[in-house]
Amino acid sequence: MKTAMTGGRPVLTRHAEAETCADPSSVMTLLADSDSTADGFTSYRSTFAKGAVGAPAHFHTKATELFFVISGSLQVLVGEEVTVLEAGDFLAVPPHTPHAFAAAPGCTADVLFVFTPGMGRFDYLRLLGRVMRGEADAKEIAASAERFDNHYVDSPVWRAALEGAA
């Protein structure tokens, strides 16, 4: 049974019943979206294959993005600094802060993501999967920036970190 309630009541998503979105390098398990949570948060879990690129440099204008590394290692950009998060590490990225992430070089990563406030981001994650599988045009991602509060930026620091990992 999948339970999603509003009014300050619990949200329960059973693993066996959670929707997943997959692309060639990751699987995203959709846990709770803002339209089904009383406090308007969004949460999903991503399991990245070895060397998988997660997200290019971007920022959110409204949401704080929270990362908790369940296992493996996640390379992240925060502002102009690149670091590696290990299993058990937690990171909170406030609005207007450029950030990016990928599985650390030679590693896999299993990460819990939470956005607060949420913005109905499951449709964005579904779109990403379709683009990665070649079922949708990448221009749809750019066109959805305001709707999903996901604004891409150029980061020479992040590009250099990815090139160094290759």
Short mmCIF file of all heavy atoms in Angstrom, two decimals, residues 76-151:
data_model
loop_
_atom_site.label_atom_id
_atom_site.label_comp_id
_atom_site.label_asym_id
_atom_site.label_seq_id
_atom_site.Cartn_x
_atom_site.Cartn_y
_atom_site.Cartn_z
N VAL A 76 30.79 16.14 -5.81
CA VAL A 76 29.86 17.26 -5.89
C VAL A 76 30.60 18.58 -6.11
O VAL A 76 31.73 18.76 -5.64
CB VAL A 76 28.97 17.39 -4.63
CG1 VAL A 76 28.05 16.19 -4.48
CG2 VAL A 76 29.78 17.61 -3.39
N LEU A 77 29.94 19.45 -6.80
CA LEU A 77 30.34 20.85 -6.93
C LEU A 77 29.40 21.64 -6.05
O LEU A 77 28.18 21.47 -6.14
CB LEU A 77 30.20 21.32 -8.39
CG LEU A 77 30.29 22.83 -8.61
CD1 LEU A 77 31.75 23.29 -8.55
CD2 LEU A 77 29.65 23.22 -9.95
N VAL A 78 29.93 22.52 -5.21
CA VAL A 78 29.13 23.47 -4.44
C VAL A 78 29.81 24.82 -4.61
O VAL A 78 30.94 25.01 -4.14
CB VAL A 78 29.03 23.08 -2.95
CG1 VAL A 78 28.19 24.10 -2.20
CG2 VAL A 78 28.45 21.68 -2.79
N GLY A 79 29.13 25.73 -5.29
CA GLY A 79 29.76 27.02 -5.61
C GLY A 79 30.90 26.78 -6.58
O GLY A 79 30.69 26.32 -7.70
N GLU A 80 32.12 27.03 -6.15
CA GLU A 80 33.31 26.83 -6.99
C GLU A 80 34.22 25.73 -6.43
O GLU A 80 35.36 25.61 -6.84
CB GLU A 80 34.10 28.13 -7.12
CG GLU A 80 33.37 29.21 -7.91
CD GLU A 80 33.17 28.81 -9.37
OE1 GLU A 80 34.12 28.35 -10.02
OE2 GLU A 80 32.02 28.96 -9.87
N GLU A 81 33.70 24.94 -5.48
CA GLU A 81 34.51 23.91 -4.84
C GLU A 81 33.99 22.52 -5.17
O GLU A 81 32.79 22.26 -5.10
CB GLU A 81 34.49 24.11 -3.32
CG GLU A 81 35.37 23.14 -2.58
CD GLU A 81 35.37 23.39 -1.08
OE1 GLU A 81 35.09 24.54 -0.67
OE2 GLU A 81 35.64 22.45 -0.33
N VAL A 82 34.90 21.62 -5.53
CA VAL A 82 34.56 20.23 -5.81
C VAL A 82 35.07 19.38 -4.64
O VAL A 82 36.21 19.54 -4.21
CB VAL A 82 35.18 19.75 -7.14
CG1 VAL A 82 34.90 18.26 -7.36
CG2 VAL A 82 34.64 20.57 -8.31
N THR A 83 34.21 18.52 -4.14
CA THR A 83 34.58 17.63 -3.05
C THR A 83 33.92 16.28 -3.27
O THR A 83 33.05 16.13 -4.14
CB THR A 83 34.19 18.24 -1.68
OG1 THR A 83 34.79 17.48 -0.64
CG2 THR A 83 32.69 18.28 -1.49
N VAL A 84 34.28 15.30 -2.47
CA VAL A 84 33.68 13.97 -2.55
C VAL A 84 32.96 13.68 -1.23
O VAL A 84 33.55 13.83 -0.16
CB VAL A 84 34.74 12.89 -2.85
CG1 VAL A 84 34.12 11.49 -2.79
CG2 VAL A 84 35.36 13.12 -4.23
N LEU A 85 31.71 13.28 -1.35
CA LEU A 85 30.93 12.84 -0.20
C LEU A 85 31.01 11.33 -0.14
O LEU A 85 30.87 10.65 -1.15
CB LEU A 85 29.47 13.27 -0.34
CG LEU A 85 29.17 14.75 -0.55
CD1 LEU A 85 27.67 14.97 -0.72
CD2 LEU A 85 29.72 15.58 0.60
N GLU A 86 31.23 10.82 1.06
CA GLU A 86 31.32 9.37 1.28
C GLU A 86 30.05 8.88 1.98
O GLU A 86 29.24 9.68 2.46
CB GLU A 86 32.55 9.05 2.14
CG GLU A 86 33.87 9.53 1.56
CD GLU A 86 34.30 8.81 0.29
OE1 GLU A 86 33.74 7.73 -0.01
OE2 GLU A 86 35.19 9.31 -0.40
N ALA A 87 29.91 7.57 2.07
CA ALA A 87 28.75 6.97 2.75
C ALA A 87 28.58 7.60 4.13
O ALA A 87 29.54 7.73 4.89
CB ALA A 87 28.94 5.46 2.87
N GLY A 88 27.36 8.02 4.43
CA GLY A 88 27.05 8.65 5.71
C GLY A 88 27.16 10.15 5.70
O GLY A 88 26.70 10.81 6.64
N ASP A 89 27.74 10.74 4.65
CA ASP A 89 27.87 12.20 4.57
C ASP A 89 26.54 12.84 4.15
O ASP A 89 25.77 12.27 3.38
CB ASP A 89 28.95 12.60 3.57
CG ASP A 89 30.35 12.32 4.05
OD1 ASP A 89 30.53 11.98 5.24
OD2 ASP A 89 31.29 12.42 3.23
N PHE A 90 26.32 14.05 4.66
CA PHE A 90 25.12 14.83 4.40
C PHE A 90 25.53 16.20 3.89
O PHE A 90 26.48 16.79 4.39
CB PHE A 90 24.31 14.97 5.70
CG PHE A 90 23.15 15.92 5.60
CD1 PHE A 90 21.96 15.51 5.03
CD2 PHE A 90 23.26 17.22 6.07
CE1 PHE A 90 20.88 16.39 4.94
CE2 PHE A 90 22.19 18.11 5.99
CZ PHE A 90 21.00 17.69 5.42
N LEU A 91 24.80 16.72 2.92
CA LEU A 91 25.06 18.04 2.36
C LEU A 91 23.73 18.74 2.14
O LEU A 91 22.79 18.14 1.60
CB LEU A 91 25.80 17.92 1.03
CG LEU A 91 25.98 19.20 0.19
CD1 LEU A 91 26.88 20.20 0.91
CD2 LEU A 91 26.51 18.85 -1.19
N ALA A 92 23.62 20.01 2.54
CA ALA A 92 22.46 20.85 2.26
C ALA A 92 22.93 22.02 1.41
O ALA A 92 23.82 22.78 1.81
CB ALA A 92 21.84 21.36 3.55
N VAL A 93 22.34 22.18 0.22
CA VAL A 93 22.71 23.24 -0.70
C VAL A 93 21.57 24.25 -0.74
O VAL A 93 20.47 23.93 -1.20
CB VAL A 93 23.00 22.69 -2.11
CG1 VAL A 93 23.34 23.83 -3.07
CG2 VAL A 93 24.12 21.66 -2.07
N PRO A 94 21.81 25.48 -0.25
CA PRO A 94 20.73 26.48 -0.20
C PRO A 94 20.41 27.04 -1.60
O PRO A 94 21.20 26.89 -2.54
CB PRO A 94 21.30 27.57 0.71
CG PRO A 94 22.78 27.43 0.61
CD PRO A 94 23.05 25.97 0.34
N PRO A 95 19.25 27.70 -1.72
CA PRO A 95 18.88 28.32 -3.00
C PRO A 95 19.98 29.26 -3.52
O PRO A 95 20.75 29.81 -2.74
CB PRO A 95 17.62 29.10 -2.65
CG PRO A 95 17.05 28.40 -1.46
CD PRO A 95 18.25 27.93 -0.68
N HIS A 96 20.02 29.38 -4.83
CA HIS A 96 20.93 30.27 -5.56
C HIS A 96 22.39 29.82 -5.49
O HIS A 96 23.27 30.59 -5.87
CB HIS A 96 20.79 31.72 -5.08
CG HIS A 96 19.42 32.26 -5.26
ND1 HIS A 96 18.91 32.65 -6.47
CD2 HIS A 96 18.42 32.46 -4.35
CE1 HIS A 96 17.67 33.07 -6.31
NE2 HIS A 96 17.34 32.95 -5.04
N THR A 97 22.67 28.60 -5.04
CA THR A 97 24.04 28.09 -4.97
C THR A 97 24.26 27.10 -6.10
O THR A 97 23.63 26.04 -6.13
CB THR A 97 24.29 27.38 -3.62
OG1 THR A 97 24.00 28.29 -2.56
CG2 THR A 97 25.73 26.91 -3.51
N PRO A 98 25.15 27.41 -7.04
CA PRO A 98 25.43 26.46 -8.12
C PRO A 98 25.98 25.15 -7.53
O PRO A 98 26.82 25.17 -6.63
CB PRO A 98 26.49 27.16 -8.97
CG PRO A 98 26.31 28.61 -8.67
CD PRO A 98 25.90 28.67 -7.22
N HIS A 99 25.49 24.05 -8.05
CA HIS A 99 25.96 22.74 -7.61
C HIS A 99 25.77 21.73 -8.74
O HIS A 99 25.03 21.97 -9.69
CB HIS A 99 25.23 22.29 -6.34
CG HIS A 99 23.75 22.21 -6.46
ND1 HIS A 99 22.94 23.33 -6.48
CD2 HIS A 99 22.91 21.15 -6.58
CE1 HIS A 99 21.68 22.96 -6.61
NE2 HIS A 99 21.63 21.63 -6.67
N ALA A 100 26.49 20.62 -8.63
CA ALA A 100 26.42 19.53 -9.61
C ALA A 100 26.86 18.28 -8.88
O ALA A 100 27.46 18.35 -7.80
CB ALA A 100 27.34 19.82 -10.80
N PHE A 101 26.60 17.12 -9.48
CA PHE A 101 27.02 15.88 -8.84
C PHE A 101 27.16 14.77 -9.84
O PHE A 101 26.56 14.78 -10.92
CB PHE A 101 26.05 15.47 -7.72
CG PHE A 101 24.61 15.39 -8.15
CD1 PHE A 101 24.07 14.22 -8.66
CD2 PHE A 101 23.78 16.49 -8.03
CE1 PHE A 101 22.75 14.15 -9.05
CE2 PHE A 101 22.45 16.43 -8.42
CZ PHE A 101 21.93 15.25 -8.93
N ALA A 102 27.99 13.79 -9.47
CA ALA A 102 28.25 12.59 -10.28
C ALA A 102 28.82 11.54 -9.34
O ALA A 102 29.36 11.87 -8.28
CB ALA A 102 29.24 12.90 -11.39
N ALA A 103 28.71 10.29 -9.74
CA ALA A 103 29.41 9.26 -8.98
C ALA A 103 30.88 9.62 -9.01
O ALA A 103 31.41 10.06 -10.04
CB ALA A 103 29.17 7.88 -9.61
N ALA A 104 31.57 9.49 -7.88
CA ALA A 104 33.00 9.82 -7.83
C ALA A 104 33.75 8.89 -8.80
O ALA A 104 33.30 7.77 -9.06
CB ALA A 104 33.52 9.67 -6.40
N PRO A 105 34.88 9.36 -9.34
CA PRO A 105 35.63 8.54 -10.30
C PRO A 105 35.87 7.12 -9.78
O PRO A 105 36.33 6.93 -8.66
CB PRO A 105 36.94 9.31 -10.46
CG PRO A 105 36.57 10.74 -10.17
CD PRO A 105 35.52 10.64 -9.08
N GLY A 106 35.49 6.14 -10.61
CA GLY A 106 35.70 4.74 -10.28
C GLY A 106 34.74 4.18 -9.24
O GLY A 106 34.91 3.05 -8.79
N CYS A 107 33.72 4.96 -8.87
CA CYS A 107 32.81 4.55 -7.78
C CYS A 107 31.36 4.52 -8.24
O CYS A 107 30.98 5.18 -9.21
CB CYS A 107 32.92 5.53 -6.61
SG CYS A 107 34.55 5.58 -5.87
N THR A 108 30.56 3.80 -7.49
CA THR A 108 29.11 3.89 -7.60
C THR A 108 28.64 4.80 -6.47
O THR A 108 29.43 5.15 -5.58
CB THR A 108 28.45 2.50 -7.44
OG1 THR A 108 28.79 1.99 -6.15
CG2 THR A 108 28.91 1.55 -8.53
N ALA A 109 27.37 5.18 -6.49
CA ALA A 109 26.82 6.00 -5.41
C ALA A 109 25.34 5.71 -5.27
O ALA A 109 24.64 5.55 -6.27
CB ALA A 109 27.06 7.48 -5.67
N ASP A 110 24.89 5.65 -4.05
CA ASP A 110 23.48 5.49 -3.72
C ASP A 110 23.13 6.67 -2.82
O ASP A 110 23.70 6.81 -1.73
CB ASP A 110 23.27 4.15 -3.00
CG ASP A 110 21.80 3.82 -2.78
OD1 ASP A 110 20.92 4.58 -3.23
OD2 ASP A 110 21.54 2.78 -2.15
N VAL A 111 22.25 7.55 -3.29
CA VAL A 111 22.04 8.84 -2.63
C VAL A 111 20.55 9.12 -2.44
O VAL A 111 19.75 8.92 -3.35
CB VAL A 111 22.66 9.99 -3.47
CG1 VAL A 111 22.50 11.33 -2.78
CG2 VAL A 111 24.12 9.69 -3.78
N LEU A 112 20.20 9.60 -1.24
CA LEU A 112 18.86 10.08 -0.96
C LEU A 112 18.84 11.59 -1.17
O LEU A 112 19.69 12.30 -0.62
CB LEU A 112 18.46 9.76 0.49
CG LEU A 112 17.08 10.27 0.91
CD1 LEU A 112 15.98 9.51 0.17
CD2 LEU A 112 16.92 10.13 2.41
N PHE A 113 17.90 12.07 -1.98
CA PHE A 113 17.74 13.50 -2.25
C PHE A 113 16.43 13.98 -1.65
O PHE A 113 15.40 13.29 -1.73
CB PHE A 113 17.68 13.76 -3.76
CG PHE A 113 18.96 13.50 -4.48
CD1 PHE A 113 19.23 12.24 -5.01
CD2 PHE A 113 19.89 14.51 -4.66
CE1 PHE A 113 20.41 12.00 -5.69
CE2 PHE A 113 21.08 14.28 -5.34
CZ PHE A 113 21.34 13.01 -5.86
N VAL A 114 16.45 15.17 -1.07
CA VAL A 114 15.24 15.81 -0.57
C VAL A 114 15.28 17.27 -0.99
O VAL A 114 16.32 17.93 -0.87
CB VAL A 114 15.12 15.72 0.97
CG1 VAL A 114 13.86 16.44 1.46
CG2 VAL A 114 15.12 14.26 1.43
N PHE A 115 14.17 17.78 -1.50
CA PHE A 115 14.02 19.19 -1.85
C PHE A 115 12.96 19.78 -0.94
O PHE A 115 11.89 19.20 -0.78
CB PHE A 115 13.53 19.36 -3.29
CG PHE A 115 14.54 18.99 -4.33
CD1 PHE A 115 14.73 17.67 -4.69
CD2 PHE A 115 15.29 19.98 -4.94
CE1 PHE A 115 15.66 17.34 -5.65
CE2 PHE A 115 16.22 19.65 -5.90
CZ PHE A 115 16.41 18.32 -6.26
N THR A 116 13.28 20.93 -0.36
CA THR A 116 12.29 21.62 0.45
C THR A 116 12.38 23.12 0.19
O THR A 116 13.46 23.68 0.27
CB THR A 116 12.46 21.28 1.96
OG1 THR A 116 11.42 21.92 2.68
CG2 THR A 116 13.80 21.66 2.50
N PRO A 117 11.31 23.76 -0.19
CA PRO A 117 10.05 23.12 -0.52
C PRO A 117 10.16 22.36 -1.85
O PRO A 117 10.98 22.69 -2.70
CB PRO A 117 9.07 24.28 -0.65
CG PRO A 117 9.93 25.44 -1.06
CD PRO A 117 11.26 25.21 -0.39
N GLY A 118 9.31 21.35 -1.99
CA GLY A 118 9.27 20.59 -3.24
C GLY A 118 8.49 21.36 -4.29
O GLY A 118 7.84 22.35 -3.99
N MET A 119 8.55 20.88 -5.52
CA MET A 119 7.84 21.56 -6.61
C MET A 119 7.25 20.57 -7.60
O MET A 119 7.27 20.82 -8.79
CB MET A 119 8.78 22.50 -7.34
CG MET A 119 9.22 23.68 -6.53
SD MET A 119 10.09 24.88 -7.53
CE MET A 119 8.79 25.44 -8.62
N GLY A 120 6.79 19.45 -7.17
CA GLY A 120 6.27 18.48 -8.14
C GLY A 120 7.35 18.05 -9.11
O GLY A 120 7.14 18.07 -10.31
N ARG A 121 8.52 17.67 -8.60
CA ARG A 121 9.69 17.39 -9.43
C ARG A 121 9.68 16.01 -10.10
O ARG A 121 10.52 15.73 -10.93
CB ARG A 121 10.97 17.54 -8.61
CG ARG A 121 11.20 18.97 -8.16
CD ARG A 121 12.51 19.11 -7.46
NE ARG A 121 13.64 18.82 -8.29
CZ ARG A 121 14.22 19.65 -9.15
NH1 ARG A 121 13.74 20.85 -9.30
NH2 ARG A 121 15.26 19.28 -9.85
N PHE A 122 8.74 15.15 -9.76
CA PHE A 122 8.74 13.82 -10.37
C PHE A 122 8.60 13.90 -11.89
O PHE A 122 9.22 13.13 -12.62
CB PHE A 122 7.63 12.94 -9.79
CG PHE A 122 7.95 12.39 -8.42
CD1 PHE A 122 9.09 12.74 -7.72
CD2 PHE A 122 7.09 11.48 -7.84
CE1 PHE A 122 9.36 12.22 -6.46
CE2 PHE A 122 7.35 10.95 -6.58
CZ PHE A 122 8.48 11.32 -5.89
N ASP A 123 7.82 14.85 -12.39
CA ASP A 123 7.70 15.01 -13.85
C ASP A 123 9.04 15.40 -14.46
O ASP A 123 9.36 14.99 -15.57
CB ASP A 123 6.63 16.03 -14.22
CG ASP A 123 5.22 15.47 -14.07
OD1 ASP A 123 5.07 14.23 -14.00
OD2 ASP A 123 4.27 16.27 -14.02
N TYR A 124 9.82 16.17 -13.74
CA TYR A 124 11.16 16.53 -14.22
C TYR A 124 12.06 15.29 -14.28
O TYR A 124 12.76 15.08 -15.27
CB TYR A 124 11.78 17.59 -13.30
CG TYR A 124 13.19 17.96 -13.68
CD1 TYR A 124 13.44 18.76 -14.79
CD2 TYR A 124 14.27 17.51 -12.94
CE1 TYR A 124 14.74 19.09 -15.15
CE2 TYR A 124 15.56 17.84 -13.29
CZ TYR A 124 15.79 18.63 -14.40
OH TYR A 124 17.08 18.96 -14.75
N LEU A 125 12.01 14.46 -13.24
CA LEU A 125 12.84 13.25 -13.23
C LEU A 125 12.42 12.29 -14.33
O LEU A 125 13.28 11.67 -14.97
CB LEU A 125 12.74 12.57 -11.86
CG LEU A 125 13.24 13.42 -10.69
CD1 LEU A 125 12.94 12.74 -9.37
CD2 LEU A 125 14.71 13.75 -10.82
N ARG A 126 11.13 12.20 -14.59
CA ARG A 126 10.65 11.37 -15.69
C ARG A 126 11.16 11.90 -17.04
O ARG A 126 11.57 11.14 -17.91
CB ARG A 126 9.13 11.31 -15.68
CG ARG A 126 8.56 10.59 -14.48
CD ARG A 126 7.02 10.68 -14.47
NE ARG A 126 6.49 10.07 -13.28
CZ ARG A 126 5.77 10.72 -12.36
NH1 ARG A 126 5.49 12.02 -12.51
NH2 ARG A 126 5.32 10.09 -11.29
N LEU A 127 11.13 13.23 -17.19
CA LEU A 127 11.64 13.86 -18.41
C LEU A 127 13.12 13.57 -18.60
O LEU A 127 13.57 13.22 -19.69
CB LEU A 127 11.40 15.37 -18.37
CG LEU A 127 12.01 16.20 -19.50
CD1 LEU A 127 11.50 15.75 -20.86
CD2 LEU A 127 11.76 17.69 -19.27
N LEU A 128 13.91 13.68 -17.53
CA LEU A 128 15.34 13.37 -17.63
C LEU A 128 15.56 11.96 -18.14
O LEU A 128 16.42 11.72 -19.00
CB LEU A 128 16.02 13.52 -16.27
CG LEU A 128 16.27 14.91 -15.74
CD1 LEU A 128 16.92 14.84 -14.36
CD2 LEU A 128 17.13 15.71 -16.69
N GLY A 129 14.82 11.01 -17.60
CA GLY A 129 14.95 9.62 -18.04
C GLY A 129 14.64 9.47 -19.52
O GLY A 129 15.36 8.79 -20.25
N ARG A 130 13.56 10.14 -19.99
CA ARG A 130 13.20 10.06 -21.42
C ARG A 130 14.29 10.66 -22.30
O ARG A 130 14.62 10.12 -23.35
CB ARG A 130 11.86 10.75 -21.66
CG ARG A 130 10.68 9.96 -21.09
CD ARG A 130 9.32 10.45 -21.63
NE ARG A 130 9.13 11.89 -21.53
CZ ARG A 130 8.67 12.53 -20.45
NH1 ARG A 130 8.39 11.85 -19.35
NH2 ARG A 130 8.50 13.84 -20.47
N VAL A 131 14.87 11.77 -21.86
CA VAL A 131 15.94 12.40 -22.64
C VAL A 131 17.16 11.48 -22.70
O VAL A 131 17.74 11.25 -23.76
CB VAL A 131 16.31 13.79 -22.07
CG1 VAL A 131 17.60 14.32 -22.69
CG2 VAL A 131 15.17 14.78 -22.30
N MET A 132 17.54 10.91 -21.55
CA MET A 132 18.72 10.03 -21.50
C MET A 132 18.53 8.78 -22.36
O MET A 132 19.48 8.25 -22.90
CB MET A 132 19.02 9.62 -20.06
CG MET A 132 19.48 10.77 -19.18
SD MET A 132 21.08 11.42 -19.65
CE MET A 132 22.13 10.08 -19.16
N ARG A 133 17.28 8.32 -22.49
CA ARG A 133 16.99 7.14 -23.31
C ARG A 133 16.74 7.50 -24.76
O ARG A 133 16.45 6.63 -25.58
CB ARG A 133 15.79 6.39 -22.74
CG ARG A 133 16.04 5.73 -21.40
CD ARG A 133 14.87 4.85 -20.95
NE ARG A 133 13.59 5.53 -20.93
CZ ARG A 133 13.10 6.21 -19.89
NH1 ARG A 133 13.80 6.30 -18.77
NH2 ARG A 133 11.92 6.80 -19.95
N GLY A 134 16.81 8.79 -25.11
CA GLY A 134 16.59 9.23 -26.48
C GLY A 134 15.13 9.30 -26.88
O GLY A 134 14.82 9.36 -28.06
N GLU A 135 14.23 9.34 -25.90
CA GLU A 135 12.81 9.38 -26.18
C GLU A 135 12.24 10.80 -26.17
O GLU A 135 11.07 10.99 -26.49
CB GLU A 135 12.06 8.53 -25.14
CG GLU A 135 12.47 7.08 -25.12
CD GLU A 135 11.96 6.33 -23.91
OE1 GLU A 135 11.26 6.93 -23.05
OE2 GLU A 135 12.28 5.13 -23.79
N ALA A 136 13.05 11.77 -25.76
CA ALA A 136 12.62 13.18 -25.73
C ALA A 136 13.82 14.05 -26.07
O ALA A 136 14.97 13.62 -25.95
CB ALA A 136 12.06 13.54 -24.35
N ASP A 137 13.56 15.27 -26.48
CA ASP A 137 14.60 16.21 -26.87
C ASP A 137 15.11 16.97 -25.64
O ASP A 137 14.32 17.40 -24.80
CB ASP A 137 14.01 17.21 -27.88
CG ASP A 137 15.07 18.06 -28.55
OD1 ASP A 137 15.90 18.66 -27.83
OD2 ASP A 137 15.06 18.13 -29.79
N ALA A 138 16.42 17.15 -25.57
CA ALA A 138 17.02 17.87 -24.44
C ALA A 138 16.51 19.31 -24.32
O ALA A 138 16.56 19.89 -23.24
CB ALA A 138 18.54 17.86 -24.57
N LYS A 139 15.99 19.87 -25.40
CA LYS A 139 15.44 21.22 -25.35
C LYS A 139 14.25 21.31 -24.39
O LYS A 139 13.97 22.38 -23.85
CB LYS A 139 15.01 21.68 -26.75
CG LYS A 139 16.17 21.89 -27.70
CD LYS A 139 15.69 22.26 -29.08
CE LYS A 139 16.87 22.35 -30.02
NZ LYS A 139 16.45 22.55 -31.40
N GLU A 140 13.58 20.19 -24.16
CA GLU A 140 12.45 20.19 -23.22
C GLU A 140 12.94 20.46 -21.79
O GLU A 140 12.21 21.06 -21.00
CB GLU A 140 11.72 18.85 -23.26
CG GLU A 140 10.96 18.61 -24.54
CD GLU A 140 10.22 17.29 -24.53
OE1 GLU A 140 9.43 17.05 -23.59
OE2 GLU A 140 10.44 16.49 -25.46
N ILE A 141 14.15 20.05 -21.47
CA ILE A 141 14.70 20.31 -20.14
C ILE A 141 14.91 21.81 -19.96
O ILE A 141 14.51 22.39 -18.95
CB ILE A 141 16.00 19.53 -19.91
CG1 ILE A 141 15.70 18.03 -19.88
CG2 ILE A 141 16.70 19.98 -18.63
CD1 ILE A 141 16.92 17.15 -19.83
N ALA A 142 15.54 22.44 -20.95
CA ALA A 142 15.78 23.89 -20.88
C ALA A 142 14.46 24.65 -20.79
O ALA A 142 14.33 25.61 -20.03
CB ALA A 142 16.58 24.35 -22.09
N ALA A 143 13.46 24.20 -21.52
CA ALA A 143 12.16 24.87 -21.53
C ALA A 143 11.43 24.73 -20.19
O ALA A 143 10.51 25.51 -19.89
CB ALA A 143 11.30 24.34 -22.66
N SER A 144 11.83 23.77 -19.37
CA SER A 144 11.13 23.52 -18.11
C SER A 144 11.81 24.17 -16.90
O SER A 144 11.41 23.93 -15.76
CB SER A 144 11.03 22.02 -17.87
OG SER A 144 12.30 21.47 -17.55
N ALA A 145 12.82 25.02 -17.11
CA ALA A 145 13.62 25.59 -16.02
C ALA A 145 12.76 26.27 -14.95
O ALA A 145 12.94 26.01 -13.76
CB ALA A 145 14.65 26.56 -16.56
N GLU A 146 11.85 27.13 -15.34
CA GLU A 146 11.02 27.84 -14.35
C GLU A 146 10.04 26.90 -13.66
O GLU A 146 9.86 26.97 -12.45
CB GLU A 146 10.27 29.00 -15.02
CG GLU A 146 11.15 30.15 -15.43
CD GLU A 146 11.90 30.79 -14.26
OE1 GLU A 146 11.32 30.92 -13.16
OE2 GLU A 146 13.07 31.15 -14.45
N ARG A 147 9.43 26.03 -14.44
CA ARG A 147 8.43 25.12 -13.87
C ARG A 147 9.01 24.26 -12.75
O ARG A 147 8.38 24.03 -11.73
CB ARG A 147 7.86 24.22 -14.97
CG ARG A 147 6.87 23.21 -14.46
CD ARG A 147 6.28 22.37 -15.56
NE ARG A 147 5.46 21.31 -14.99
CZ ARG A 147 5.22 20.18 -15.59
NH1 ARG A 147 5.69 19.94 -16.80
NH2 ARG A 147 4.47 19.26 -15.00
N PHE A 148 10.25 23.78 -12.96
CA PHE A 148 10.86 22.87 -11.99
C PHE A 148 11.95 23.53 -11.14
O PHE A 148 12.63 22.85 -10.39
CB PHE A 148 11.42 21.64 -12.70
CG PHE A 148 10.36 20.81 -13.38
CD1 PHE A 148 10.36 20.67 -14.75
CD2 PHE A 148 9.37 20.19 -12.64
CE1 PHE A 148 9.39 19.90 -15.39
CE2 PHE A 148 8.39 19.43 -13.26
CZ PHE A 148 8.40 19.28 -14.64
N ASP A 149 12.12 24.86 -11.27
CA ASP A 149 13.13 25.59 -10.49
C ASP A 149 14.50 24.93 -10.63
O ASP A 149 15.20 24.68 -9.65
CB ASP A 149 12.72 25.67 -9.01
CG ASP A 149 13.62 26.61 -8.20
OD1 ASP A 149 14.24 27.52 -8.80
OD2 ASP A 149 13.74 26.41 -6.98
N ASN A 150 14.88 24.66 -11.86
CA ASN A 150 16.15 24.01 -12.15
C ASN A 150 16.84 24.83 -13.24
O ASN A 150 16.46 24.75 -14.40
CB ASN A 150 15.89 22.58 -12.63
CG ASN A 150 17.02 21.67 -12.28
OD1 ASN A 150 17.44 21.60 -11.14
ND2 ASN A 150 17.52 20.97 -13.28
N HIS A 151 17.83 25.62 -12.85
CA HIS A 151 18.46 26.58 -13.76
C HIS A 151 19.92 26.18 -13.99
O HIS A 151 20.73 26.23 -13.07
CB HIS A 151 18.36 27.99 -13.16
CG HIS A 151 16.97 28.33 -12.74
ND1 HIS A 151 16.04 28.86 -13.61
CD2 HIS A 151 16.32 28.17 -11.55
CE1 HIS A 151 14.89 29.03 -12.97
NE2 HIS A 151 15.04 28.62 -11.73
#
